[in-house]
């Protein structure tokens, strides 16, 4: 079987995707009916917003965008490609707008970022490595936010779980630094893991090995020391913390006061769901369906949770997307975009 055969969706996969999508539509429709009383009350709550907290949410969202731009600067700087913060921030805003508003947005945003890094002087390998490494750091950061929240929830009954929170942070930092400084050493570990997964899925033992080696080759293009890894991971983690703070400030803006631990768990779960099931831009619908019950479990009323999510979406999604398109129109519209996109097919496709 060829790679093309493996990457082409089969009729069975298409049927499964349609079934899953239909079930999600039904679930969301049922949830809409169930929360309609809370939804109507939440609209009334929006008339009593505390605008100081709304302003704080805007600042937090801007800080989140700025920190992601700094991650990009750190990773490119390791490879000898030095850019200014305003250059990185402009690309971050523009690519974010593409990602959350256009059909196929994540792929278009990835290609756009790749082309800009090539214009800055990055080689094809370095430009692709930066994209891969930024994604790895983002995944680790989000997992850490959720882990910290889950362990802090347990700290209410077991204070020793705080020790495990700190230990988890150290473990994540060690793994991130090791992966960045010696990515080639992960090749054997990844192949072993793939063999185990393939055995469970009843697939050929070497299924996915070529894609994994490709990723390792990209990551091996640049070696990062502990200081470089700490800076890049620190800004990546701050990106999530700032965005989670935006959600917290949105809650405060509607008069709610959720617990920190519950808020962290709700935020991580919502983002994970939105990324895993990208039906609509920015995880709309899917992420919100997870956030509402999660925020309610953290001590908020249903109407307060819906109102807070509306405020959060208006700031982190609509406002940031609008700013991004303004930046794109001012800086990139009509610019030469003749460079091909990154070789990320193994990261998106299925097959051996």
């Amino acid at each position: 079987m060829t790679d093309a055969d493996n990457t082409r969706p089969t009729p069975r996969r298409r049927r499964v995707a349609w079934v899953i999508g239909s079930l999600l539509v039904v679930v969301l429709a049922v949830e809409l009916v169930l929360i309609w009383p809370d939804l109507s009350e939440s609209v009334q709550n929006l008339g009593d917003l505390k605008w100081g907290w709304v302003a704080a949410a805007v600042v937090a969202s801007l800080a989140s965008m700025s920190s992601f731009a700094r991650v990009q600067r750190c990773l490119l700087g390791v490879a000898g490609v030095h850019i200014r913060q305003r250059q990185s921030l402009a690309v971050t805003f523009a690519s974010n707008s593409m990602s959350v508003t256009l059909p196929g947005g994540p792929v278009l945003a990835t290609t756009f970022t790749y082309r800009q890094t090539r214009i800055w002087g990055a080689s094809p390998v370095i430009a692709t490595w930066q994209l891969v490494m930024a994604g790895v750091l983002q995944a680790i950061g989000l997992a850490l936010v959720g882990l910290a929240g889950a362990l802090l929830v347990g700290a209410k009954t077991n204070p020793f779980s705080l020790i495990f929170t700190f230990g988890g942070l150290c473990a994540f930092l060690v793994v991130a630094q090791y992966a960045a400084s010696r990515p080639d050493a992960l090749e054997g570990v990844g192949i072993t893991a793939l063999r185990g997964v393939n055995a469970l899925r009843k697939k050929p033992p070497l299924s996915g090995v070529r894609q994994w080696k490709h990723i390792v080759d990209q990551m091996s293009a640049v070696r990062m020391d502990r200081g470089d890894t700490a800076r890049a991971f620190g800004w990546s983690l701050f990106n999530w913390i700032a965005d989670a703070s935006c959600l917290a400030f949105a809650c405060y803006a509607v008069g709610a006061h959720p617990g920190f631990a519950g808020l962290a768990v709700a935020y991580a779960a919502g983002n994970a769901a939105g990324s895993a099931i990208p039906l609509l831009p920015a995880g709309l619908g899917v992420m919100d369906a997870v956030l509402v019950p999660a925020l309610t479990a953290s001590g908020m009323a249903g109407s307060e949770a819906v109102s807070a999510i509306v405020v959060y979406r208006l700031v982190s999604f609509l406002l940031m997307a609008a700013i991004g398109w303004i930046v794109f129109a001012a800086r990139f519209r009509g610019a030469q975009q003749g460079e091909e996109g990154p070789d990320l097919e193994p990261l998106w496709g299925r097959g051996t």
Side-chain angles (χ1 to χ4, degrees):
M1 183 178 293
T2 65
D3 293 339
D5 294 331
N6 284 331
T7 57
R8 187 181 299 115
T10 63
R12 180 180 178 183
R13 286 177 178 171
R14 286 195 292 267
R15 286 195 299 270
V16 171
W18 274 104
V19 170
I20 293 175
S22 300
L23 288 175
L24 286 172
V25 170
V26 172
V27 170
L28 292 174
V30 171
E31 287 185 347
L32 180 61
V33 173
L34 294 177
I35 69 171
W36 180 254
D38 290 331
L39 183 61
S40 59
E41 185 178 348
S42 69
V43 174
Q44 299 175 359
N45 291 341
L46 292 177
D48 300 321
L49 288 178
K50 299 178 181 179
W51 291 100
W53 286 117
V54 174
V58 172
V59 172
S61 193
L62 291 172
S64 176
M65 299 295 291
S66 179
S67 63
F68 189 81
R70 290 188 179 276
V71 173
Q72 184 171 246
R73 284 187 66 198
C74 287
L75 295 176
L76 290 174
V78 171
V81 180
H82 301 288
I83 58 175
R84 297 179 178 180
Q85 173 66 7
R86 66 170 180 266
Q87 292 176 289
S88 184
L89 187 58
V91 170
T92 298
F93 266 112
S95 62
N96 174 72
S97 297
M98 294 179 186
S99 179
V100 301
T101 60
L102 296 178
V107 176
L108 294 175
T110 298
T111 303
F112 172 76
T113 302
Y114 174 89
R115 289 173 174 173
Q116 293 305 312
T117 55
R118 293 285 287 120
I119 291 173
W120 292 333
S123 67
V125 170
I126 296 302
T128 306
W129 173 86
Q130 185 271 139
L131 292 169
V132 173
M133 197 62 196
V136 171
L137 292 175
Q138 284 286 94
I140 294 175
L142 179 60
L144 183 57
V145 170
L147 175 66
L151 292 177
L152 287 174
V153 168
K156 295 180 179 179
T157 56
N158 181 12
F160 288 102
S161 64
L162 289 173
I163 299 175
F164 293 102
T165 302
F166 180 75
L169 171 61
C170 294
F172 272 117
L173 289 175
V174 170
V175 170
Q177 196 279 326
Y178 183 80
S181 61
R182 295 192 60 193
D184 53 320
L186 298 178
E187 182 173 321
V189 175
I191 291 175
T192 301
L194 281 173
R195 288 179 179 274
V197 172
N198 290 334
L200 293 175
R201 299 174 63 188
K202 297 181 180 180
K203 286 194 171 186
L206 298 181
S207 179
V209 170
R210 186 174 67 84
Q211 288 88 337
W212 175 248
K213 288 184 176 180
H214 180 87
I215 294 173
V216 171
D217 287 342
Q218 299 295 343
M219 294 174 64
S220 300
V222 179
R223 303 281 179 157
M224 296 175 65
D225 59 27
R226 289 184 177 86
D228 297 325
T229 304
R231 282 190 296 273
F233 178 72
W235 284 116
S236 182
L237 180 60
F238 182 75
N239 167 251
W240 290 118
I241 293 174
D243 193 48
S245 298
C246 178
L247 176 60
F249 296 151
C251 294
Y252 300 154
V254 300
H257 299 280
F260 170 77
L263 182 68
V265 173
Y267 176 80
N271 275 277
S275 300
I277 313 174
L279 295 179
L280 294 174
L284 289 175
V286 177
M287 180 178 176
D288 305 320
V290 174
L291 278 177
V292 170
L295 290 176
T296 303
S298 70
M300 296 175 60
S303 59
E304 290 177 335
V306 175
S307 298
I309 292 173
V310 170
V311 174
Y312 170 68
R313 285 300 197 176
L314 287 174
V315 173
S316 66
F317 171 54
L318 189 60
L319 179 60
M320 295 302 111
I323 293 174
W325 282 120
I326 292 172
V327 171
F328 179 83
R331 295 200 55 162
F332 303 109
R333 186 171 179 269
Q336 183 66 31
Q337 301 286 339
E339 179 67 36
E340 72 279 359
D343 182 16
L344 290 178
E345 182 275 330
L347 301 182
W348 302 101
R350 303 185 185 94
T352 57

